[in-house]
Structure formats: C-alpha cells, structure tokens
Amino acid sequence: MRDDRAQRSQRSRRLSRALVCAAAVPAILITAACSSDSGDAKAKGAGEGAQQSAGGGTQSSSSASPTVQAAVFKKLPDACAALSGKTLTALVPKGAKAAKKGSSDDPSSRASCSWSSLDNNGVKGSQFRWLNVSLIRFDSDATLGSGDAQAHTYFTRQVKDAQGVDGAKNPKSEPVSGAGAESTVVRYDLKKKEGLFKQQTVVARLSNVVVTVDYNGAGLAGDKTPSADDLTKSAEKAVREVVAAVSSANGSSSPASSGATAPASKSPSKSPSKSASPSPSKSSSTGASPSKSSGGKS
C-alpha cells in the first residue's frame, strides 16, 4: 500500500509540472507575437513616414515651374497694307499697286510683301526700285524664353547678316530713331551686270516683333545712280510706318515705346515654339536677305 501511495504521489507531481509548462507556452507565444507585431508596425510606420517625406519633397519641387513674361503683341498687320499709298508711290512709283504677298503658314506670326518698279525713260535709261517688307513675331515660351528675348536675338542676327553680304562695297551701319526699341540701317553698294545697286536694309524690333525693310535702287541703261542718302531716308520712313502698323493692329498707339530696352541676351535653343512661336530660321521674307533683295528684281 505504501508503494501504491508513493507511485500516486509521483504521478501527481509530474502532472502538475506538465500543466505548469503547458500554461507557460501560450504566454510565451503571445509575448513573441506581440513583439513581432510591434516591430512590424514600427517598421511599417517608418517606411510610410519615409515615403510621405519623399512624396512631399517631390511635390514641392514639381510645383516650382518656370515662368516667362507674356508676349506684348499677339498678331501682325497685313504686310501689303502696312504702308500708305503715298509712301508706296514715293518708293516704288510704277509698282505701288502691284503688291506681291509672300507665302506664310501662319500670318499671325510671319508675313511679307514686295513691290518692284521700273520707270523706263527710253533712250535716257530707266530707274529701278525694289521694296520688301517682312515681319516676324515671337511668342513667349518657358523653354525658349520670352518673346522679347527671342526677337532681340533674331534682330541681332538680321543686322549681322545684312552687314556680311558678299560683294558689298562701302558698307555703313547706323541706328534709326523712332522705330521701336532698337533699329539699325545697313547700307552698301552692290555691283551687278545691270548696273550699280544701292541697297538699304532697315531692321527694327518692337518688343516681340522684328520688322525688316529692304529697299534698293539703280539707274539702268545709262540713267544716273540714285542717291544712297535719299534711298536710306525713304527706307527709314517705311520702317517707321510698319512699326506703327504693328502697334495699331494690336490696339496700341505708341510704337516707339514698345519694348523700350533690349532684353538680356538669351540665345534660344530652337525656334519658336509652336507654330505661334515662329522659328527665326524660317522667316517668311522672300527678300529679307540683302543678297537676294539686291538682285531679286532687276
């Protein structure tokens, strides 16, 4: 009997220890699980915080988009109607009513017109005149820069091209007053088989528009060569009228003050922008280049 009691006592002690161990296991598992969840939550929270921080930085940087000053002039006048009948009669007396409009895929950004005159005096020879007016307008663009800056770059190149015509003799350049923000006349002589041509190229910029007036004259078949000074005065008068026409077409009455200062030089990476923002290399002028205008009609 003592042996039976001893055995029962041992079995009771073993059962108690098993129950204690069994009760301890879930507590350990729960603790481990809680620790794991807490770590995941902290890691997740840190990751979300990093993403929010990064997202906030991106949002802040993307909101700072560059801006440029809006272009002043939105359209161009009809190039063939930019000069009065009186001016045309004085410059091209035999061709004042024979305007030839240049082709353009966007008349609000590029326009040109030309006239030629041959006053035949029989055995005394004849007087030849040729006039071309071209206009180009630049729109402001965040990539290319303001319309004024693009126009200034184009103005500078037009003057440089006029000064570098092959075969030009006695070249002279001087500023022109009362024709926009900046204006220059380039004049020279060009000898051709028909005679000696006197060429005048006047380039003017008013804000985001550049006007180029080419005017040349020659005495043919023995007639006297026209005065370069007289031709220059006529070309300068013509450019002032065209500048005024640009302002009038856009509802402004003070062309001389448009774009009163030259913008900081900023070379555009490509041409104007959309077709509204024309490319300088695609001027619609059919005779804006002095080398063409000098012998374009002879």
Side-chain angles (χ1 to χ4, degrees):
M1 292 178 66
R2 285 194 298 268
D3 292 340
D4 290 340
R5 287 194 297 270
Q7 290 177 359
R8 285 195 296 271
S9 177
Q10 289 177 357
R11 283 197 297 272
S12 178
R13 286 195 296 272
R14 285 197 295 271
L15 180 59
S16 297
R17 286 196 298 270
L19 290 172
V20 170
C21 290
V25 169
I28 294 172
L29 292 176
I30 291 171
T31 302
C34 291
S35 299
S36 175
D37 289 344
S38 177
D40 290 345
K42 290 180 180 179
K44 183 178 180 181
E48 289 178 350
Q51 290 176 357
Q52 290 175 358
S53 175
T58 303
Q59 184 177 4
S60 175
S61 62
S62 63
S63 63
S65 57
T67 59
V68 293
Q69 181 181 1
V72 174
F73 297 114
K74 305 299 182 183
K75 57 184 178 179
L76 296 175
D78 180 352
C80 292
L83 295 173
S84 68
K86 181 179 180 180
T87 297
L88 288 172
T89 300
L91 271 64
V92 282
K94 297 299 182 179
K97 297 182 180 180
K100 294 182 179 180
K101 180 174 290 189
S103 61
S104 173
D105 57 355
D106 184 5
S108 69
S109 296
R110 290 180 294 271
S112 67
C113 195
S114 63
W115 300 259
S116 64
S117 172
L118 183 63
D119 187 3
N120 192 337
N121 297 313
V123 295
K124 295 182 179 180
S126 58
Q127 287 290 319
F128 172 77
R129 300 289 185 273
W130 187 80
L131 172 67
N132 185 83
V133 172
S134 67
L135 306 97
I136 183 167
R137 184 184 64 84
F138 295 85
D139 275 327
S140 295
D141 183 272
T143 301
L144 304 175
S146 70
D148 284 29
Q150 294 178 67
H152 173 69
T153 298
Y154 183 69
F155 166 85
T156 302
R157 186 163 74 243
Q158 283 286 85
V159 173
K160 185 176 180 180
D161 288 348
Q163 293 170 333
V165 172
D166 291 339
K169 303 295 183 182
N170 306 315
K172 295 180 181 179
S173 301
E174 56 189 15
V176 178
S177 62
E182 48 189 339
S183 184
T184 299
V185 58
V186 180
R187 48 191 276 192
Y188 53 84
D189 299 339
L190 197 62
K191 181 68 176 179
K192 299 182 70 66
K193 63 180 181 180
E194 297 86 359
L196 180 65
F197 286 77
K198 298 287 185 176
Q199 170 69 33
Q200 283 64 227
T201 297
V202 189
V203 187
R205 179 187 71 83
L206 62 162
S207 193
N208 58 309
V209 174
V210 176
V211 175
T212 303
V213 171
D214 286 295
Y215 185 49
N216 65 41
L220 307 179
D223 205 348
K224 66 179 181 179
T225 300
S227 164
D229 289 340
D230 291 343
L231 294 178
T232 298
K233 290 178 181 178
S234 296
E236 291 178 351
K237 178 181 179 181
V239 82
R240 291 188 188 100
E241 279 194 32
V242 179
V243 165
V246 172
S247 295
S248 179
N250 288 271
S252 174
S253 59
S254 55
S257 62
S258 299
T261 58
S265 179
K266 186 176 182 180
S267 180
S269 57
K270 56 177 146 178
S271 105
S273 63
K274 311 174 178 176
S275 77
S277 176
S279 170
S281 61
K282 294 182 180 180
S283 170
S284 64
S285 168
T286 57
S289 170
S291 58
K292 293 180 181 179
S293 63
S294 299
K297 302 280 183 181
S298 60

